[in-house]
Amino acid sequence: MPITRVCCLVCGSKIEDQSIDPPWLGRFRVLYATEEEPNFARLSGLGSRQQFSDVVRLDAADTDADAELVDIWLMRTNFGDQPLAVPEAVDPPVWGFPLHAACWSIMAEVCSPHKPDIQLFFDLCRSFPVDLGILNWGHDYAGSVCYLVHQSELAAGEESQLWNTIRAGTHRYDPLNIPEISRVFEHSNPDIVDFGPVALPRVDTKSGYRDDFARLPIELLQVILTYLPTADAGSLRRASRIFGAIPLHDEFWRSRFWPGREFDFIFESKQYFPLVKGRWRSIYFSIKALSACPPVANRQRIWKLGSCLWNLLSEAQTKLNGKLLGDPSGSDAGPSEPDVHWSTASRAIIPLNESFTFGARVLYDRMIPVPDQLAALFVSTVEIYGRHYVSGIRFQQRSGNSFSLGYIRQLQETRLVDYQRGIRGLSVINANTKRRSQWVGDSESIPRRRLVPGSDLRSTVKFLKGGFDARDDVLSLRDSVLWFPDVPLPHLKFSGAQHMKTRKEDLPVSTFVFGGYQGQDLGKLLRLTVDVKMDDTILALEAALSDGLPPIRAGISKTGKSVERLEFEIDGPAGERIISVESFWIRANTFLGFKVSYPQLGYILSDHH
Amino acid sequence: MAPIQILKLQNTFKPGGKVFEVERAAAEHSGLVQMLLQDFDDSDLEAIIPISVDVSDKGLAKVFEWMTHSKDLPKTTDDGSVRGPDDSAVNWKPLTFSDWDKKFFDALDSEALYEILIAANYLDIKPLYELGCQFVANMIRGKTTEQIREILNITSDFNPEEELRIREQKALVKDESETAEKN
């Protein structure tokens, strides 16, 4: 049994050794590159997991037992010197990302009639962190893995690492070779449906019934039904007596197996379709009866995961705009970066020589000088597993000329801001494919540093980096840390918070103002509430106000036995005012608690440490 | 003599139909026109080509507008995939509307939409009737029965007996709907 754990990049289930039952879990291929050619990705033949190492046949066509096996480093996270490596140990010269042979075959069906671009696929894998042998795409592989901290306990901007695989019964069933499906196609019976001429019901306009579909030829009505998902076709047939009278044609049932439809993952339908004409209705119902059986359910799960990956790959094929700055992997050195001051908006960029288990890694830099005479700035975004990330920027000059950086998708573009003043330079560092970014700039021109809601310490693959003019030479706290939800107003001062600049995790800071920016509402403060978890972690702070004003809250909303709510009454209307706040720390990044003082009644509010 | 580039088409379904002049490249979207062009030589084509379909000149004008705008599109899909329900629809994918197509269909009232569907079917303009059907399907997607009636201007006159019959017939589809919803 292998001493390390690696999981399939498509389905998230463990890749086992060859003695495992079921055998498909032990049959895998690898998207790999070699030390000599780190930017030339290939697909391997079948590999094998052994106790202390993993081996693979380098040629994708090699599946026979005689082909040469080469040592391979699966789910590599570190590309620099390894201080902890045993001196005599030699790293394998080949490294890559494994996936079950069955999952690869399903991917190929998902992509059909196209073929996935292996280099792009590999670069995509390189752009996401690996937690404990699991590639962290930002999803839980449809329930196949769990997170170290549950998603509901994360505050905005935080992300959890993956923790463990879940042994779900259905996930062990071979998703590729399902004899039950073939049996349905091979033994289906002809449908007993009369497809002869159809008489549509007469529409008696005198009765007040109106249905303009009565005017359409029946072929068109059938096409419309075919284009609809099954549930919607049902609704339409209930809504219109014309549609209700049409027998559901063979083509209607077959269209349920088209790409993007209910049973698109039953790809056997393509193989059998010329042979089963007139039987699609019975096939549909037989497959439906099978859909809960474990191998079919597992196929469907992996198909969905594969479809998401294919969408990501398709998106990444967009042309990357801008001048190449140089590939940090070293093999493709472009022109050097101009000697200017950059103020970066990037978060958690992990250097190549550090373990890549969270955050993001830069694969390619792009840079353009920002043109003058700017009329407008457009930002392109992309959705990755339900979150939106910035993918590119387009500058438009008053003359109408455009200059683009990154991936530009005009249909998804948002006009961000009209520039009145110049920007010296803007550069996008991106990880070849998917991207998330914060915007750094003058908050008078661009009010929020966060461009897109939902972005956070996610496994990002593309960042924007802004080079601005001399005003950025000295960065205040306001300009150097992340804020959620909004960057605070310029006149707010943050005493004693300078250490936040150096925090490695780079989590966002929240501010909330309960007394009004001029202090005019300080007299309305009634209560401070602190939600504390069992381990003394503060989850949330809330200020309750008088005059029916809604409470102001920062943090995670969570209730339950594990959460203790501490309430501290402050009689604002009677004149009580907070005069100081002290915070207690062990080292710069471990927060213990805080104390709020307000003198009139002498209460002390503190975390219960 | 150069081949005729402008065709004259007239709807003779009712007397007094307007004579439309349509570019030949645009008119060739129509399977019916293509068939007629094969049967006639150019001297015949100087005359008016009669068509007969129960739509208004206004509806026909919209059809010719679409044909003229799309005259440079391939007359059959050239990537080998077929966009509609066809025996070779293995690689079917949902139809995508160009910006122009979207504006074109969005601007139609339901009467014009029905007329375009009828005319596109009669003239055998596959891309247009597929787009039209997809447009109708998109309007219906995700809507309740009552919403569909409202959108498509259908009044319900099912008497209880009919309701029962249709419900029985539809038990099947309802069953499917539930499965689909679960998915």
Side-chain angles (χ1 to χ4, degrees), chain A residues 209-210 232 241 253-254 273, chain B residues 86-87 142 155 157 162 176:
Chain A
Y209 180 74
R210 182 189 163 97
D232 293 318
R241 61 188 302 181
W253 299 109
R254 185 161 82 87
F273 95 91
Chain B
D86 186 291
D87 265 1
T155 55
D157 73 336
E162 280 177 322
E176 292 146 27

Side-chain angles (χ1 to χ4, degrees), chain B residues 9 22-31 33 60-73 75 100 104 123-125 128:
Chain B
L9 296 158
V22 185
E23 281 182 69
R24 184 178 180 139
E28 280 176 348
H29 267 302
S30 157
V33 169
L60 265 186
K62 294 302 284 182
V63 173
F64 294 138
E65 180 189 338
W66 184 89
M67 289 165 94
T68 303
H69 179 266
S70 311
K71 65 181 175 188
D72 296 329
L73 291 183
K75 300 299 184 288
W100 191 90
F104 176 82
L123 289 167
D124 190 18
I125 312 167
L128 181 57

